[in-house]
Amino acid sequence: LNALDLPELITVSQAEYEQRAISLASEPSLLVELRERLKRSRLTSALFNGKVFAKHVELAYVEMHRRRVERIKPYDIDVPTLFD
């Protein structure tokens, strides 16, 4: 959602998710605006560029394999260029 410039849709609990859904259902103009922003994001976000997305996922897999070979304990992998 951050990559799509829709951070206001991120929730951290079931109750917050339900409240956000009710809010969107109650405010059609807000929902229209969110849809328009999503449409615009489709043109620029790596999430909608299969080749770029696949390349970055592949980089993450290479890093996972390197860590396995070097017997490094699993931890988060940051691929910071994924959504540039």
Side-chain angles (χ1 to χ4, degrees):
L1 291 170
N2 280 323
L4 296 172
D5 192 30
L6 299 171
E8 66 272 28
L9 295 179
I10 297 171
T11 61
V12 295
S13 68
Q14 181 71 29
E16 188 180 359
Y17 176 85
E18 291 171 3
Q19 185 57 44
R20 190 72 36 88
I22 291 168
S23 175
L24 289 172
S26 304
E27 300 178 47
S29 62
L30 180 57
L31 194 54
V32 168
E33 186 222 331
L34 290 171
R35 284 183 180 146
E36 289 303 315
R37 285 174 42 208
L38 178 59
K39 284 180 188 176
R40 286 192 304 271
S41 293
R42 287 179 31 194
L43 302 175
T44 58
S45 174
L47 288 174
F48 292 95
N49 184 330
K51 288 182 181 180
V52 170
F53 187 80
K55 178 178 174 58
H56 287 93
V57 168
E58 184 177 294
L59 290 173
Y61 290 153
V62 168
E63 178 62 11
M64 284 186 268
H65 178 69
R66 181 189 70 79
R67 292 177 187 184
R68 181 184 165 277
V69 168
E70 294 179 14
R71 298 182 187 269
I72 298 171
K73 288 187 175 186
Y75 59 93
D76 291 347
I77 294 175
D78 184 22
V79 184
T81 60
L82 181 58
F83 302 113
D84 288 347

